[in-house]
Amino acid sequence: MIAKLSIGPRSHRVIFLALLVAALSMSVYDLAVASDPAASFGANKGAIATLQLKPHKHDFGKVIATLSSAPVTVIVTNKSKSVSISFESIVASPPFQIESDGCSSAPLAPRHRCQVGVEFHPISTGRIKDQAGLTFTDSAIKSPQKVELEGEGVAGPTPTPTATPTPSTTRTPTGSMTPTATPTASCTPQEQPTPYAARLVLIAGGQGSDGTALNSAEVFNPRTNTFTLTTDPALGGTAMNDSHYRHAAAAASDNPNPPSTILISGGIDAAGATSTTETFSSSTNQFAAGSMSVSRQGHTETELLGVHHAHSFLIAGGQNAAGTVLKSAEGAAMMNVARTNAAASALQLYNPFVRDTCTPSNAVITGGFDGISALQSAEVYNTTLGTFTLTDDSSLGGSQMNAPRMFHTATPLGSGGPTPVLITGGEDVAGVAQSTAEIFDPATNKFTLTTDLGGTSMTVARAMHTGTLCYLGVLIAGGVDDSGKVLASAEVFDPATDKFTAVGSMNTARFNHAAAALPNGKVLITGGEDGSGNTLNTAEIFDPATNTFTLTTDPSLGGNNMNAARKLHTATAY
């Protein structure tokens, strides 16, 4: 069940985002410093610099001793117009440690930003607070500047003995999918230490440059910007048991301890649409074979958080081996509409600071293709009841989307409690890409165009693009426009203003690529197809501090390309 939370229209969603930011302790600190001729590293005498640190303090919460937290990214901005700032040293005090350093290598030019990732690695239990947890020694007169860090090492999660939770829900005669129910007293919210985070990305399957389905997989490490095949002796793993493209994948995120697992489902293998699945274990880098009830390709897969640390995966729709568009979902009731090439999102994502462990998450599935035309309908899946209801059903009081869409994106705009979902682009009934975007509000089950919220449409029409939640908002990258041109352009959606702003373009135009958010706030873009029909093995990283893309092979990153050219593959962070 999902507790009712008024998050829309726009003003309410801004409040929601503000509360989320407060929960993550992401405050802003502005520090005006004058350059000191005696201490300056070549700055002009008398010039004034303004340094902005974001955040100036952070609480990592509870982290299991001997494990590492997910890193927090400190954004460092030189606000001056003419003076560069040089960093003599950037040091973290144990048990805090630097995860990534994008500032020390070169002076920070005027009006430029860099970022430092820092994590909490307690070696014993107890709360630690250090006003100099992260120290910047630089060419500013008030150097050093300090970021206050704190966190608590804990022995490990201690489950609270409880009876099996029994949600007090009643199915109404209309088949309501969102009963107004609350967790019963038999479910006690649990303390949640920050989960283990391997901070890696699994690249799986895809269609190769010769058109064949791939069974290979590789792991991307953002610390080294390198890709390594799972079969490489360094990882000691296996390839997938079957080949897959146009498949789906999702990670089990609500897991306080290793190993992480990723479920890969369906897709197309050498014989056509397949029912095979693969479960990847991060502890062995190996894949275990499984199967679904029917073959599926072009379907959706969504992780659903259950009570306490339980989770499941909603696999819905797609086309079977005979080419029939499906209404069915694995282990659940039928959808109301058969759909493939749809876009889905969970309505509650894992966040150790916000997540309600007594409230399972629902999901929304939007648009797609029913075998005849692009769809305007959407439906909500209720985890407690295991059933679907159209968003415009009278029992939900919501609406359809404002336009039919297929090959579009659905991206959650937050974490923790019920979160709005951004819907972007996609092809219309004529098969033409569109630039409109809309937001689904789980509190009202309604879709509202961003232009009706005082915002904008996307800067260009897009289909077969990616939408990835990152530090600045949602990164929209690549795809195909309304003339059929493959795009290198990208833009960022700001949830606070409902506006899209163009950012630097990718180094390569691409569609049918895959994207994944990295723990340092950056976004990894992999593979896809370019405008000349070439399947790509290149990858690039978007940096929200500079709004630019850099190839992983660039000397500044020192990485490599993927080991195989891939399109219609998956990239899953774990």
Side-chain angles (χ1 to χ4, degrees):
M1 291 160 292
I2 298 247
K4 297 278 186 177
L5 177 62
S6 178
I7 333 175
R10 173 174 171 264
S11 61
H12 293 169
R13 286 185 294 98
V14 171
I15 293 172
F16 169 79
L17 288 167
L19 291 173
L20 175 60
V21 170
L24 293 173
S25 300
M26 299 297 287
S27 56
V28 179
Y29 176 63
D30 290 306
L31 178 63
V33 292
S35 68
D36 181 2
S40 174
F41 295 83
N44 294 327
K45 181 177 180 179
I48 300 298
T50 301
L51 186 70
Q52 183 187 71
L53 302 179
K54 180 180 180 179
H56 78 285
K57 61 182 177 180
H58 181 74
D59 186 349
F60 288 93
K62 293 182 174 66
V63 177
I64 298 173
T66 74
L67 298 183
S68 294
S69 69
V72 62
T73 298
V74 177
I75 302 293
V76 183
T77 305
N78 183 351
K79 304 289 285 186
S80 73
K81 297 180 180 180
S82 60
V83 181
S84 294
I85 297 176
S86 297
F87 296 95
E88 181 179 356
S89 66
I90 302 175
V91 179
S93 301
F96 306 102
Q97 57 190 28
I98 293 176
E99 186 268 342
S100 60
D101 180 359
C103 294
S104 295
S105 59
L108 185 60
R111 298 190 179 280
H112 280 64
R113 291 182 288 181
C114 61
Q115 56 190 30
V116 174
V118 61
E119 59 190 12
F120 177 40
H121 183 75
I123 58 175
S124 60
T125 60
R127 174 157 287 277
I128 296 172
K129 183 175 181 179
D130 191 338
Q131 293 182 341
L134 183 64
T135 301
F136 295 78
T137 303
D138 49 51
S139 58
I141 192 171
K142 293 187 178 180
S143 173
Q145 296 88 34
K146 301 171 183 179
V147 177
E148 180 182 294
L149 300 173
E150 64 179 303
E152 181 177 355
V154 296
T158 303
T160 303
T162 61
T164 301
T166 307
S168 56
T169 59
T170 303
R171 188 190 300 267
T172 67
T174 59
S176 173
M177 284 299 304
T178 311
T180 54
T182 56
T184 66
S186 61
C187 177
T188 303
Q190 292 184 335
E191 290 275 350
Q192 292 207 101
T194 303
Y196 167 81
R199 299 181 291 279
L200 304 173
V201 179
L202 177 69
I203 312 297
Q207 189 174 28
S209 55
D210 61 357
T212 60
L214 301 173
N215 73 335
S216 65
E218 42 196 305
V219 173
F220 176 76
N221 186 337
R223 291 176 182 265
T224 60
N225 298 307
T226 55
F227 296 87
T228 305
L229 287 168
T230 53
T231 54
D232 189 288
L235 296 185
T238 64
M240 294 188 292
N241 297 278
D242 192 9
S243 52
H244 303 261
Y245 72 90
R246 280 184 55 79
H247 54 288
S253 61
D254 194 10
N255 184 8
N257 294 298
S260 296
T261 57
I262 296 172
L263 177 65
I264 294 164
S265 61
I268 297 174
D269 63 10
T274 180
S275 62
T276 60
T277 65
E278 318 264 349
T279 300
F280 173 78
S281 170
S282 65
S283 63
T284 63
N285 294 306
Q286 295 180 357
F287 294 87
S291 64
M292 299 181 292
S293 61
V294 297
S295 59
R296 301 177 190 272
Q297 58 98 355
H299 55 290
T300 60
E301 180 181 331
T302 311
E303 185 201 14
L304 300 174
L305 302 178
V307 172
H308 292 163
H309 294 294
H311 68 269
S312 60
F313 298 97
L314 175 64
I315 298 172
Q319 284 180 283
N320 64 16
T324 303
V325 181
L326 303 170
K327 284 186 178 181
S328 65
E330 297 292 319
M334 292 276 187
M335 291 190 292
N336 294 275
V337 178
R339 57 184 86 224
T340 187
N341 302 327
S345 174
L347 298 178
Q348 178 168 306
L349 277 67
Y350 179 69
N351 182 325
F353 303 101
V354 180
R355 162 107 159 92
D356 177 0
T357 59
C358 286
T359 305
S361 62
N362 293 349
V364 62
I365 300 180
T366 64
F369 179 70
D370 63 0
I372 300 174
S373 178
L375 297 168
Q376 193 167 347
S377 65
E379 36 199 309
V380 169
Y381 175 75
N382 184 287
T383 303
T384 302
L385 300 179
T387 51
F388 295 86
T389 298
L390 290 168
T391 53
D392 61 341
D393 186 273
S394 60
S395 63
L396 294 187
S399 67
Q400 292 190 340
M401 293 190 295
N402 290 274
R405 303 177 191 272
M406 59 181 176
F407 299 115
H408 56 295
T409 62
T411 309
L413 293 177
S415 58
T419 177
V421 178
L422 174 69
I423 312 297
T424 66
E427 293 182 1
D428 60 16
V429 293
V432 177
Q434 50 197 320
S435 63
T436 59
E438 46 194 303
I439 292 175
F440 175 73
D441 183 347
T444 62
N445 297 303
K446 292 181 179 180
F447 293 86
T448 306
L449 287 168
T450 51
T451 51
D452 289 338
L453 296 170
T456 64
S457 293
M458 292 190 294
T459 60
V460 296
R462 301 177 191 269
M464 291 174 276
H465 53 295
T466 53
T468 312
L469 184 66
C470 66
Y471 184 79
L472 296 179
V474 177
L475 173 68
I476 308 295
V480 177
D481 70 8
D482 50 2
S483 68
K485 177 185 176 182
V486 181
L487 299 170
S489 65
E491 50 195 294
V492 168
F493 174 78
D494 183 351
T497 63
D498 298 307
K499 293 181 179 180
F500 293 85
T501 302
V503 294
S505 292
M506 295 185 290
N507 293 273
T508 305
R510 57 184 86 215
F511 72 103
N512 285 334
H513 52 291
L518 301 177
N520 55 13
K522 301 178 183 180
V523 177
L524 173 69
I525 307 288
T526 60
E529 182 177 336
D530 66 14
S532 300
N534 300 307
T535 302
L536 304 169
N537 70 341
T538 59
E540 37 196 308
I541 292 176
F542 173 74
D543 186 347
T546 60
N547 285 330
T548 58
F549 291 84
T550 305
L551 289 167
T552 52
T553 53
D554 188 274
S556 66
L557 297 185
N560 62 351
N561 285 326
M562 292 191 296
N563 292 273
R566 306 172 189 271
K567 63 183 178 184
L568 299 168
H569 57 293
T570 53
T572 310
Y574 66 96

